[in-house]
Amino acid sequence: MRLLVGAGILSLLTFLNTRPSVTAALPPPVRVGLVVDLTSDVGRKSLTCLCMALDDFYQKHPDYATRVELRLNDSHGDLVTSAHASEELMDKNGQLQAIISPQTSPEAAELITGTAEHSNIPILSSSATSPASSSSSRSRFFVSTAPNISSQAAPIASIFKVFAWSAAVLLHEDSPYGVGILSALVHAFQGSPGLTDSVAVPGDATDSRLDAALLALKTMPTKVYVVHMPPALAARLFRRAGVAGMMSEGYVWIATAGVGNVADSLPNPGDIDYMQGVVSLRPYVQATDRVRSFWRRFKMRFQQENPGVEQDEPVTLLWLYDTAWAAAAAAEASFRTAQPTALIDALLVTKFDGLAGRFGLVDGQIQVSVYEIVNIIGNGARTVGFWTPELGISTSLHPKVENTASTDSASKELKVILWPGETAAIPIGWNFASRRPGGLRVAVPVKGGLGQFVKISSDPAIAGDRVSGYCIDVFKAVMTRLGYPVDHLYVLADGIKIYDALVNMVHDKKFDVVVGDVTISSSRMKLVSFTMPFTETGWSMIMAEKGGSGSMWIFTSPMTLELWLTILAFFFFTGFVVWAIEHRINPRFGGTPQKQLGVLFYFAFSTMVFSHKEKLESNLSKLVVIMWVFVVLILTTSYTANLTSVLTIQQLQPAISEWTDRDYVGVQENSFIEDILREMGFDEARFRRYSSIDEYADALNRGSDNGGVTAIFDEVPYLRLFLSRYCRGYSMVGPTNKSGGFGFMFPKGSPLVGDMSRAILELAEDGVLTRIENKWFSHPGSCVGNNGGSNARLGLWRFRGLFLINGVVSCLMLLIHLARFVYQERARGQVKANTAGVLPWLCAWLRRYCAFEGQRGGEPVSDGRAAVELNHMQDSAAEEAAQQEGAMGDSYSTHVDATDF
């Protein structure tokens, strides 16, 4: 027995002695350094997460030859210490093959990237990084396994588009991380005013420093703020904003993912109370069974390792978990390769389905395709929508749509958001009342003449001046259409070069808007912004007229070709209907086919001058003729009136065919038209300047030889005003040259420009602008709308109702007549269908219908005997009439059935 025990022990010792030889056959462990702040809860959670990730990875892949071995170094939460900790790991462990830094800041990355690249050691960072830190052009060995902060710019711009905000102020940490999103945001807004300002806040800013920054923001008109800061600094900022009254109704706060990622797990529970109404972003992670299982196991393990520490579910731990999996997978893929860069090469092409989604690097950067939009309400964040590059913003990742139009609609929706102040009303995003007492400062140019545009009058009731006019009424209508109140105060501006001066004053923000007859021009738009024009654009000239027309076809001009052809067609149609009803019972419409055709055309066209003399027998044809004569009367009257206009006013021609050295031209004082005329070659010595439309008329009447002018050059709105009052003897001639028209002038970046432009377009579509224009530019007895050209020709569309009634009546009478004929012939049994087919039967009916029915006891007379019978009746009638007091022989004894009445 002892021998057997001894042999067993010897065998065990032999096995144990041979085990190192087996271990020696395995590849050495892949040493990965870990730089983490173990003094913080975040650092301890990161360590637990990494250990869990490696345990899970090798439990799923037990046959893998490689093993990742973590080498820990504590950064103690200090920037310099973090960089030194990384360098120390590389110095101590000559075989160190990678470094994972869950809390890498851009500053720390800058310090350790150079050493890492020199040593060919990859650095894996699972914290959000700036574009500069993660750029592949900086270091091939710096890998970011967290989303780049610049990828949030597109979702933020989409939110602005949904709510029609045009301007915002960026508040960011004064660090590479803070400014990293600035250029991306500017590019994402794509030409809109976008970011009107940015405020940098130091990471260690005191409360007084934060209060000073917020006070400066409070005096600005823009009330939309984008906050890009680490969670701790952002929480302090929102707390001070609440104290300053800036977390109330009317303010908008959009926070980047630094806040959204920890909104449900803030270290200080009281911070959430100061973030009520904030809208934020965070990368979307689907809550799968695998994710839920991870959180359950993580909480259990972390509680065992760190009793009493508060547990939460920050999404950054999911990125860290996937980072450890990626390192382990790359280690296995690269251990057989002797290349120095084998690990980084394998890491850059590693792909798998991780906890946070599909893991895959593009230029050393993880890509995020879906962002979740959250609204901080109550004790956490509530999802209100999603953003994807394909759909933009939507309430669901898979919206159910019927067509393309609904897809566009779904991509611009969000669930109801509770904004600061616990209101669901969408803030307009700005407030001028906080800038100046009285609100918007509205400059009104004052000049003599042309008071219809801007009129200044004294008003004892208000002990001052009252502002009125076309431009003022348009401005009031636009402000009403905005849908939100904007306080404003009119300020009169007077001067010789008032318009040029106003451009500079608005550029210097001495005024918030200029309301008046201010022309939009490219040179002015370099300094200020304009709304869309609210008047007709362009400029032209007016001249005195002379009579005369040399066209030989002037008589056709009152009507359009379409109307002429329609009238001709109805002449033929009416004649045919009358013939169809009368030819069987009225000898005037009988006889040979040639005679019937001649009577048809003669009768139809004689109605045009009311000279038709044929006696009608049927009441049906009489009704047709009465309706047609009424139509002819209306057409003749309209034609006569329009032809009269053509031969008088409309054919007046300008009194000059070419310019000579004796011709002077008139322009409005201080008008940009002078510069255009100089460029066209007009001599400035030939300019004569005027300030009212009455002066225009007097100058044109006197002419160049008598101290006046040959033509007046001005913008179309002014010329329309002139022609509305002086509508006889003047014409707007020549082409209408394009210009900007009148618009309201604002400083660059004003948020009111877009809203007022939309309101102007709505007023134009609703006809409000036309009614305002008629109010100021129409006068009793004037030619409203006269522009010196020809009046509108008479078209078919104006008479469509008249032709419709006449056509319906004629067709109805013809149908009644045909129905009677069919009924009579069936009753008589004169025509019967035979066995040869339908066509012979139909021909028999037509011959019967076309035959003239005379006085022979109601029997029809054949075509060959019709003329003889007709002559006989005419002779008998003539003799009888001569015997009866010389009456004219135009009476006929014709047979008419009772059904013809």
Side-chain angles (χ1 to χ4, degrees):
M1 177 63 69
R2 292 181 177 176
L3 292 175
L4 291 175
V5 173
I9 295 174
L10 182 61
S11 299
L12 179 60
L13 292 175
T14 304
F15 171 77
L16 293 175
N17 291 331
T18 58
R19 188 176 178 185
S21 63
V22 176
T23 305
L26 296 176
V30 178
R31 297 181 178 87
V32 175
L34 177 61
V35 180
V36 65
D37 178 16
L38 295 178
T39 63
S40 67
D41 293 344
V42 175
R44 291 191 291 268
K45 290 174 183 178
S46 298
L47 179 60
T48 301
C49 178
L50 281 171
C51 295
M52 284 184 61
L54 294 177
D55 292 345
D56 292 347
F57 181 84
Y58 291 116
Q59 183 178 0
K60 185 176 181 180
H61 306 95
D63 56 333
Y64 276 20
T66 59
R67 290 293 185 272
V68 171
E69 182 180 287
L70 293 177
R71 299 298 176 89
L72 181 64
N73 209 337
D74 191 356
S75 67
H76 298 285
D78 182 72
L79 169 65
V80 178
T81 304
S82 177
H84 289 169
S86 301
E87 296 176 357
E88 185 179 354
L89 282 174
M90 289 183 280
D91 293 339
K92 280 185 178 180
N93 303 277
Q95 301 300 319
L96 195 67
Q97 294 169 275
I99 293 178
I100 296 178
S101 183
Q103 299 162 289
T104 301
S105 65
E107 295 86 349
E110 291 289 336
L111 293 175
I112 64 178
T113 296
T115 304
E117 185 170 12
H118 177 73
S119 305
N120 292 339
I121 297 178
I123 296 177
L124 287 74
S125 173
S126 62
S127 60
T129 57
S130 64
S133 299
S134 61
S135 174
S136 60
S137 62
R138 293 287 304 257
S139 172
R140 182 172 181 265
F141 292 89
F142 188 92
V143 176
S144 177
T145 57
N148 195 305
I149 58 176
S150 62
S151 64
Q152 302 175 57
I156 292 174
S158 297
I159 295 175
F160 270 64
K161 187 176 181 181
V162 168
F163 296 108
W165 298 319
S166 58
V169 176
L170 174 65
L171 289 90
H172 62 88
E173 185 185 36
D174 191 8
S175 65
Y177 166 81
V179 300
I181 199 174
L182 182 58
S183 61
L185 277 177
V186 173
H187 182 266
F189 280 101
Q190 294 181 348
S192 63
L195 298 178
T196 58
D197 204 347
S198 63
V199 178
V201 179
D204 57 351
T206 62
D207 287 350
S208 59
R209 178 70 177 272
L210 293 176
D211 292 341
L214 292 171
L215 179 61
L217 293 177
K218 198 172 183 179
T219 60
M220 296 181 181
T222 303
K223 301 304 175 187
V224 182
Y225 309 117
V226 178
V227 178
H228 178 59
M229 298 176 179
L233 181 58
R236 293 181 54 224
L237 176 73
F238 286 124
R239 182 180 292 271
R240 300 312 302 171
V243 174
M246 298 176 67
M247 299 300 296
S248 57
E249 185 174 354
Y251 289 88
V252 178
W253 295 88
I254 309 294
T256 55
V259 173
N261 290 334
V262 299
D264 295 320
S265 56
L266 290 171
N268 186 354
D271 290 340
I272 197 72
D273 296 334
Y274 293 93
M275 296 185 182
Q276 299 298 299
V278 174
V279 175
S280 187
L281 303 173
R282 61 188 180 194
Y284 173 68
V285 176
Q286 187 176 3
T288 61
D289 294 338
R290 185 183 174 195
V291 172
R292 286 189 286 267
S293 174
F294 165 77
W295 286 125
R296 287 193 301 269
R297 294 185 296 110
F298 172 80
K299 290 180 179 180
M300 292 176 58
R301 181 165 177 172
F302 185 75
Q303 184 65 30
Q304 294 173 357
E305 297 174 354
N306 303 273
V309 179
E310 184 180 356
Q311 302 180 42
D312 52 27
E313 300 178 0
V315 69
T316 53
L317 291 182
L318 301 181
W319 300 333
L320 184 59
Y321 184 96
D322 291 344
T323 301
W325 270 62
E332 178 67 19
S334 64
F335 85 95
R336 293 187 179 90
T337 304
Q339 296 294 332
T341 61
L343 182 60
I344 186 63
D345 293 339
L347 187 64
L348 293 176
V349 297
T350 298
K351 296 182 185 300
F352 60 90
D353 291 325
L355 290 183
R358 183 67 179 173
F359 184 92
L361 300 175
V362 177
D363 294 332
Q365 175 72 58
I366 196 72
Q367 302 299 306
V368 175
S369 58
V370 181
Y371 271 99
E372 187 178 7
I373 303 173
V374 297
N375 182 205
I376 300 179
I377 293 295
N379 295 324
R382 166 178 164 266
T383 301
V384 295
F386 301 91
W387 179 89
T388 61
E390 298 79 15
L391 290 178
I393 289 181
S394 61
T395 55
S396 172
L397 289 177
H398 307 286
K400 296 180 180 179
V401 295
E402 298 292 337
N403 47 43
T404 304
S406 58
T407 301
D408 295 338
S409 176
S411 66
K412 297 179 181 178
E413 294 181 356
L414 285 173
K415 295 179 182 178
V416 176
I417 296 176
L418 288 181
W419 303 98
E422 297 183 357
T423 176
I426 300 174
I428 62 175
W430 54 268
N431 181 15
F432 277 100
S434 62
R435 185 175 181 181
R436 291 190 180 100
L440 210 66
R441 289 178 57 86
V442 182
V444 179
V446 179
K447 63 178 183 178
L450 299 172
Q452 287 83 353
F453 291 95
V454 177
K455 185 177 181 181
I456 311 299
S457 57
S458 299
D459 189 350
I462 61 175
D465 296 324
R466 180 177 296 275
V467 181
S468 61
Y470 168 69
C471 297
I472 302 300
D473 282 0
V474 172
F475 177 73
K476 292 179 179 178
V478 169
M479 299 302 286
T480 302
R481 187 59 67 97
L482 286 179
Y484 48 82
V486 179
D487 296 334
H488 54 276
L489 176 67
Y490 293 113
V491 179
L492 303 185
D494 196 1
I496 301 299
K497 294 288 186 180
I498 182 60
Y499 291 98
D500 294 335
L502 283 175
V503 171
N504 294 324
M505 291 182 354
V506 170
H507 174 69
D508 296 335
K509 298 184 178 180
K510 296 180 180 179
F511 292 112
D512 299 313
V513 59
V514 175
V515 175
D517 48 346
V518 182
T519 302
I520 303 172
S521 66
S522 59
S523 59
R524 291 173 177 175
M525 291 187 70
K526 295 177 181 178
L527 300 175
V528 296
S529 296
F530 283 92
T531 64
M532 69 173 297
F534 56 86
T535 62
E536 185 177 354
T537 61
W539 61 274
S540 187
M541 70 175 178
I542 51 175
M543 302 178 69
E545 297 174 335
K546 66 177 182 179
S549 175
S551 173
M552 63 182 293
W553 303 105
I554 191 173
F555 67 90
T556 64
S557 59
M559 295 184 181
T560 62
L561 177 61
E562 184 182 33
L563 181 57
W564 279 116
L565 295 177
T566 303
I567 294 173
L568 182 63
F570 266 81
F571 271 125
F572 288 122
F573 176 67
T574 303
F576 169 76
V577 172
V578 173
W579 169 83
I581 297 174
E582 291 286 332
H583 87 281
R584 298 189 68 254
I585 60 175
N586 193 336
R588 292 283 188 179
F589 292 86
T592 62
Q594 294 81 359
K595 180 180 178 182
Q596 295 184 47
L597 187 63
V599 173
L600 185 153
F601 288 147
Y602 171 76
F603 179 84
F605 285 93
S606 63
T607 58
M608 181 171 58
V609 291
F610 310 103
S611 63
H612 49 288
K613 300 299 183 182
E614 288 75 11
K615 181 180 179 181
L616 302 179
E617 299 293 340
S618 174
N619 289 338
L620 301 179
S621 60
K622 291 177 182 178
L623 181 59
V624 171
V625 172
I626 289 174
M627 289 300 302
W628 175 240
V629 169
F630 175 72
V631 173
V632 170
L633 176 63
I634 298 299
L635 293 173
T636 302
T637 304
S638 302
Y639 173 84
T640 302
N642 217 26
L643 182 61
T644 302
S645 177
V646 169
L647 294 176
T648 53
I649 299 174
Q650 295 182 7
Q651 291 303 311
L652 297 175
Q653 300 296 328
I656 188 172
S657 58
E658 60 182 14
W659 298 105
T660 66
D661 293 338
R662 299 173 56 187
D663 292 316
Y664 287 83
V665 294
V667 294
Q668 187 183 160
E669 289 182 345
N670 301 323
S671 174
F672 73 99
I673 301 296
E674 290 189 28
D675 297 331
I676 298 177
L677 294 179
R678 292 189 192 96
E679 295 177 359
M680 294 174 60
F682 282 88
D683 186 358
E684 187 173 0
R686 296 292 176 181
F687 291 164
R688 286 176 176 167
R689 299 167 180 83
Y690 306 100
S691 60
S692 69
I693 59 175
D694 295 330
E695 293 178 356
Y696 282 4
D698 179 67
L700 289 172
N701 290 336
R702 286 189 285 119
S704 296
D705 295 335
N706 299 311
V709 295
T710 303
I712 297 286
F713 288 89
D714 211 337
E715 295 179 80
V716 170
Y718 298 117
L719 301 184
R720 296 286 190 193
L721 174 61
F722 176 86
L723 293 174
S724 69
R725 179 173 297 181
Y726 298 96
C727 57
R728 296 292 185 268
Y730 307 97
S731 292
M732 186 187 302
V733 297
T736 299
N737 304 279
K738 293 300 180 182
S739 66
F742 295 162
F744 301 127
M745 184 166 58
F746 288 87
K748 285 284 188 180
S750 173
L752 265 178
V753 175
D755 290 348
M756 293 193 69
S757 294
R758 283 188 293 271
I760 290 172
L761 183 59
E762 292 176 2
L763 293 174
E765 293 174 347
D766 295 344
V768 177
L769 291 185
T770 301
R771 291 194 291 271
I772 296 175
E773 182 177 350
N774 292 336
K775 170 187 173 182
W776 287 98
F777 303 144
S778 299
H779 305 277
S782 66
C783 304
V784 179
N786 176 34
N787 62 355
S790 61
N791 287 343
R793 303 172 67 190
L794 298 176
L796 176 61
W797 187 250
R798 295 185 177 183
F799 300 99
R800 62 190 185 280
L802 199 62
F803 284 113
L804 177 63
I805 295 174
N806 182 77
V808 170
V809 171
S810 298
C811 292
L812 183 61
M813 297 302 102
L814 181 60
L815 290 175
I816 293 175
H817 172 72
L818 292 177
R820 289 176 175 176
F821 172 76
V822 172
Y823 176 77
Q824 293 170 5
E825 294 304 310
R826 284 186 175 179
R828 294 178 181 177
Q830 299 294 330
V831 179
K832 299 180 180 180
N834 53 38
T835 58
V838 178
L839 184 59
W841 177 79
L842 181 59
C843 291
W845 275 84
L846 290 176
R847 286 195 299 271
R848 178 68 181 169
Y849 177 78
C850 293
F852 170 70
E853 186 175 291
Q855 187 186 334
R856 299 175 53 195
E859 294 295 329
V861 181
S862 64
D863 291 341
R865 299 169 53 195
V868 177
E869 184 70 15
L870 181 60
N871 291 335
H872 175 71
M873 290 189 297
Q874 289 175 342
D875 293 339
S876 298
E879 293 175 359
E880 183 179 356
Q883 295 174 1
Q884 297 179 1
E885 298 179 0
M888 295 186 64
D890 206 14
S891 301
Y892 301 92
S893 178
T894 58
H895 174 75
V896 181
D897 291 325
T899 57
D900 286 337
F901 292 90

